Amino acid sequence: MPVRVAESSAPSQVSGTNSGNTSPPACTLLSVGQAFSGTQNVSSLQKEEAWRVNVRIQGCDLEHGYLCGTMEALNVPMADTPVVTFWEGEIVDTKNYTFYTGKWEASPEDDKRHWTKFPSFAPLLNQVEVDGGKSLDLSNYPYIFMRWKEQYFVNVGTDCGLTIAGFYYVCFSCSDGSINGFYYDPNSSPFQKLELKSTNEGRSGFSFSSYELQ
């Protein structure tokens, strides 16, 4: 979700080391057309504030660790209409992407500061510090970790007073479809929390099952 420029219990066990290419667990709640609704806390030192947010997954390709969708912020104070952005995501599957971002102005220390905000990440930390988690087998892990990066505004111009320069660290629960995330942008308020729940809306979107990524 665009932001203004700044003026659950952890699982008891972790799968063993990765002996080959693995994909994250197949989750019916993380699929094309699935909708989520919730809030993002955009509070600053001066003001407590939260925006209502809707997210819909438009494409998902687990084999390549890719997904994309739209994000709609409903009660943005300076906007006359809900603000919609298109985002693309990286699924941390240890094959296509690791826990270390390596771009978007995020250092390994930034990564660890954000990932450790999720209780479900705690059992993975030691191995991530060794190799970014490359040797972990997350195929049966009950959570899926992702990064979401907004690419462009869908219905407003870039002069709307908001920024999409940052990205989200995201944790998805395979058991109930809940999403928690933290927004990272060095120029915005730190640790803006995203909280979403799966909804029962009808599904629409497109699949990458036979799509060749560029």
Side-chain angles (χ1 to χ4, degrees):
M1 183 186 65
V3 299
R4 287 193 294 269
V5 177
E7 312 171 341
S8 67
S9 301
S12 59
Q13 294 184 358
V14 181
S15 299
T17 57
N18 188 351
S19 59
N21 291 338
T22 62
S23 296
C27 295
T28 58
L29 293 174
L30 185 66
S31 56
V32 170
Q34 184 63 50
F36 304 85
S37 182
T39 61
Q40 179 171 332
N41 187 315
V42 293
S43 299
S44 64
L45 293 176
Q46 295 79 24
K47 183 179 180 181
E48 289 288 327
E49 187 176 351
W51 296 345
R52 290 187 295 125
V53 178
N54 292 325
V55 166
R56 186 178 293 275
I57 297 175
Q58 301 292 349
C60 185
D61 181 358
L62 296 180
E63 180 62 26
H64 293 86
Y66 175 87
L67 75 166
C68 63
T70 54
M71 184 177 291
E72 177 188 39
L74 298 178
N75 58 321
V76 182
M78 72 280 300
D80 296 327
T81 182
V83 177
V84 181
T85 56
F86 174 79
W87 55 268
E88 292 185 305
E90 300 176 346
I91 299 173
V92 177
D93 55 9
T94 72
K95 178 180 69 171
N96 296 286
Y97 301 102
T98 73
F99 285 97
Y100 288 148
T101 305
K103 53 189 172 184
W104 303 329
E105 299 185 65
S107 69
E109 288 305 313
D110 292 322
D111 291 329
K112 285 187 285 187
R113 272 195 296 270
H114 286 77
W115 290 127
T116 51
K117 290 283 186 180
F118 305 115
S120 53
F121 175 79
L124 311 177
L125 176 59
N126 288 342
Q127 194 59 44
V128 169
E129 290 182 324
V130 172
D131 62 2
K134 291 180 180 179
S135 59
L136 290 170
D137 179 0
L138 301 177
S139 58
N140 294 309
Y141 205 60
Y143 297 89
I144 296 177
F145 300 96
M146 299 174 275
R147 286 176 287 264
W148 292 359
K149 178 73 175 76
E150 289 167 299
Q151 301 297 324
Y152 56 82
F153 292 100
V154 174
N155 65 332
V156 297
T158 55
D159 59 350
C160 63
L162 302 174
T163 178
I164 53 174
F167 70 96
Y168 293 86
Y169 294 87
V170 175
C171 178
F172 173 86
S173 170
C174 293
S175 62
D176 63 10
S178 63
I179 290 174
N180 287 285
F182 291 95
Y183 187 73
Y184 172 73
D185 177 0
N187 297 312
S188 297
S189 301
F191 302 114
Q192 297 181 24
K193 188 172 184 179
L194 180 71
E195 296 180 283
L196 303 171
K197 298 293 184 182
S198 176
T199 70
N200 294 321
E201 295 180 16
R203 297 181 176 184
S204 63
F206 53 90
S207 171
F208 285 110
S209 58
S210 60
Y211 181 81
E212 186 67 30
L213 294 179
Q214 300 300 313

